[in-house]
Amino acid sequence: MKPISLIQFLIEERRAGRINAELSLLIEVVARACKRIAVAINKGALGGVLGNAGSDNVQGEAQKKLDVISNEILLEANAWGGHLAACASEEMEDPQPIPDMYPKGHHLLLFDPLDGSSNIDVNISVGTIFSVLRSPDGVEEPKAEHFLQPGTTQLAAGYVVYGPATLLVLTFGHGTHEFTLDREVGSFVLSRRNLRIPEETAEFAINMSNQRHWEAPMQRYIGELLAGQDGPRGKDFNMRWVASMVADVHRILSRGGVFFYPLDAKLKAKAQTGKLRLMYEANPMAFIVEQAGGSASTGRARILDLEPTALHQRVPVFLGSKNEVAMAVRYHAEADGAQG
Ligand code: AFP
């Protein structure tokens, strides 16, 4: 079969009436920006891009040089095309308006420009995550409050994983599709259509070093997986943790599995409601995973149904194979019920 480029795929989606020209352009622009990010990452130490930038982001986390570079690449690429009303990023406290000299579009773009960036200096996969919303009608200059729409309203979501190959995974709400960057030609090419996450799995992803801080239902659920064949589950489970959500989610989309970043006492002590950010990490990943037949929950609610309260809000994240997410959610409901 002839390879299908991302551009051709977008044209077909337009013809099928699933996206409009502006959204198609937006995805093209984000994909082009991510190719530039991939080039910067690939240069590594030779490009002088490793290490800390010497600044903190809005969450008080030390920024890597590549966090700052990736953010700038995405902002610059998206400023002038006329497809956006505003963008928001993990790296900026407030949304970035479109400069007055350029036309404005009807979309809002949220992104985590370089997720997993603490892995950069050790040459482990990192990624870009993005979410697209409609800008509310009649709003000239969107503010943070205009981005606070539930995940169910996303028009598109995707991520790029910068690994051994650079891959783009994308959904418009009609399945989840994977494109591989052909470096010689310089374009993303459809490599897998309609990814499916098996309902059953024997592989989980969690940062086990936080075990003693977890809530009781999380302790119970993971304890049963660790007990393996001798425990109540009657089978052995394998564990993987890359500490780059994009890489962990991509593995789950490729061979199944379940990912957890639960709320724990360590986060609560810092007055945090989770580790991962709702608007540009949890929501787009939840959309992608649900479109591939998986589930995504906070342990107590479906992520896509959450009513956001702040641009940089954090939430617990459980996502992946349906049956495992359901079991972990059931243990939380039982524990909450027992507490009255
Ligand atoms: P960084 O972007 O600061 O490296 O954080 C990555 C991340 O948000 C997500 O990609 C990982 O799943 C998670 O944090 C890893 O967190 P731990 O370092 O606590 O395991």
Side-chain angles (χ1 to χ4, degrees), residues 30-31 33-39 41-42 70 74 112-115 120 123-129 159-167 181 183 188 244 246-247:
V30 170
C34 290
K35 283 190 250 175
R36 286 188 56 203
I37 296 173
V39 169
I41 291 172
N42 284 336
S70 307
L74 279 157
D112 178 352
L114 205 64
D115 182 65
I120 268 288
N123 201 29
I124 290 175
S125 298
V126 289
T128 297
I129 312 174
Y159 64 75
V160 172
V161 56
Y162 310 102
T166 293
L167 306 177
L181 181 61
R183 285 178 193 279
F188 282 104
S244 266
V246 174

Side-chain angles (χ1 to χ4, degrees), residues 33-200:
C34 290
K35 283 190 250 175
R36 286 188 56 203
I37 296 173
V39 169
I41 291 172
N42 284 336
K43 288 197 172 130
L46 304 183
V49 294
L50 302 185
N52 286 342
S55 50
D56 285 353
N57 68 10
V58 52
Q59 347 264 339
E61 297 157 345
Q63 286 180 307
K64 297 280 175 191
K65 282 186 198 161
L66 270 168
D67 282 323
V68 176
I69 293 169
S70 307
N71 195 51
E72 275 165 14
I73 289 175
L74 279 157
L75 288 179
E76 196 271 330
N78 280 288
W80 48 271
H83 52 282
L84 282 189
C87 338
S89 158
E90 181 187 8
E91 304 302 330
M92 307 181 307
E93 180 140 21
D94 298 312
Q96 169 100 354
I98 296 302
D100 284 340
M101 61 213 202
Y102 299 125
K104 286 202 178 86
H106 303 89
H107 295 91
L108 302 176
L109 174 67
L110 294 115
F111 49 82
D112 178 352
L114 205 64
D115 182 65
S117 56
S118 58
N119 280 324
I120 268 288
D121 295 344
V122 288
N123 201 29
I124 290 175
S125 298
V126 289
T128 297
I129 312 174
F130 62 93
S131 163
V132 182
L133 299 167
R134 191 179 306 286
S135 184
D137 288 341
V139 175
E140 264 297 297
E141 195 152 298
K143 305 272 181 300
E145 71 207 64
H146 301 113
F147 285 76
L148 303 184
Q149 307 176 30
T152 47
T153 66
Q154 289 173 103
L155 300 177
Y159 64 75
V160 172
V161 56
Y162 310 102
T166 293
L167 306 177
L168 165 69
V169 171
L170 183 63
T171 186
F172 296 120
H174 300 277
T176 292
H177 315 290
E178 179 204 81
F179 301 81
T180 300
L181 181 61
D182 181 336
R183 285 178 193 279
E184 283 155 38
V185 179
S187 60
F188 282 104
V189 177
L190 185 63
S191 36
R192 286 189 294 164
R193 212 186 260 276
N194 283 319
L195 302 181
R196 297 307 290 171
I197 300 175
E199 290 182 10
E200 292 288 343

Side-chain angles (χ1 to χ4, degrees), residues 78-338:
N78 280 288
W80 48 271
H83 52 282
L84 282 189
C87 338
S89 158
E90 181 187 8
E91 304 302 330
M92 307 181 307
E93 180 140 21
D94 298 312
Q96 169 100 354
I98 296 302
D100 284 340
M101 61 213 202
Y102 299 125
K104 286 202 178 86
H106 303 89
H107 295 91
L108 302 176
L109 174 67
L110 294 115
F111 49 82
D112 178 352
L114 205 64
D115 182 65
S117 56
S118 58
N119 280 324
I120 268 288
D121 295 344
V122 288
N123 201 29
I124 290 175
S125 298
V126 289
T128 297
I129 312 174
F130 62 93
S131 163
V132 182
L133 299 167
R134 191 179 306 286
S135 184
D137 288 341
V139 175
E140 264 297 297
E141 195 152 298
K143 305 272 181 300
E145 71 207 64
H146 301 113
F147 285 76
L148 303 184
Q149 307 176 30
T152 47
T153 66
Q154 289 173 103
L155 300 177
Y159 64 75
V160 172
V161 56
Y162 310 102
T166 293
L167 306 177
L168 165 69
V169 171
L170 183 63
T171 186
F172 296 120
H174 300 277
T176 292
H177 315 290
E178 179 204 81
F179 301 81
T180 300
L181 181 61
D182 181 336
R183 285 178 193 279
E184 283 155 38
V185 179
S187 60
F188 282 104
V189 177
L190 185 63
S191 36
R192 286 189 294 164
R193 212 186 260 276
N194 283 319
L195 302 181
R196 297 307 290 171
I197 300 175
E199 290 182 10
E200 292 288 343
T201 183
E203 195 163 72
F204 67 100
I206 194 164
N207 184 338
M208 283 298 297
S209 72
N210 294 323
Q211 184 171 21
R212 69 189 189 286
H213 305 295
W214 297 336
E215 295 179 297
M218 203 66 219
Q219 302 270 7
R220 174 185 171 200
Y221 171 78
I222 296 290
E224 290 183 3
L225 302 192
L226 293 176
Q229 244 182 1
D230 306 330
R233 300 296 303 271
K235 70 172 184 181
D236 290 336
F237 283 80
N238 188 22
M239 198 204 85
R240 288 284 184 275
W241 185 249
V242 183
S244 266
M245 189 196 198
V246 174
D248 278 314
V249 169
H250 194 71
R251 184 185 60 255
I252 289 168
L253 278 160
S254 303
R255 67 180 193 206
V258 62
F259 169 101
F260 299 94
Y261 213 115
L263 180 59
D264 63 33
K266 209 166 82 178
L267 295 167
K268 278 189 192 163
K270 291 190 270 181
Q272 289 180 357
T273 48
K275 157 100 194 222
L276 302 175
R277 276 50 62 111
L278 173 62
M279 300 303 296
Y280 39 81
E281 292 181 321
N283 265 344
M285 287 308 198
F287 192 22
I288 289 166
V289 162
E290 284 200 7
Q291 284 297 316
S295 296
S297 169
T298 63
R300 293 179 168 99
R302 179 182 175 226
I303 287 175
L304 294 181
D305 286 335
L306 297 176
E307 288 288 343
T309 55
L311 192 56
H312 299 288
Q313 180 179 351
R314 296 173 187 262
V315 290
V317 174
F318 300 13
L319 60 76
S321 296
K322 251 186 182 156
N323 293 350
E324 291 307 319
V325 173
M327 186 167 291
V329 168
R330 179 159 68 77
Y331 285 9
H332 283 71
E334 284 175 15
D336 294 350

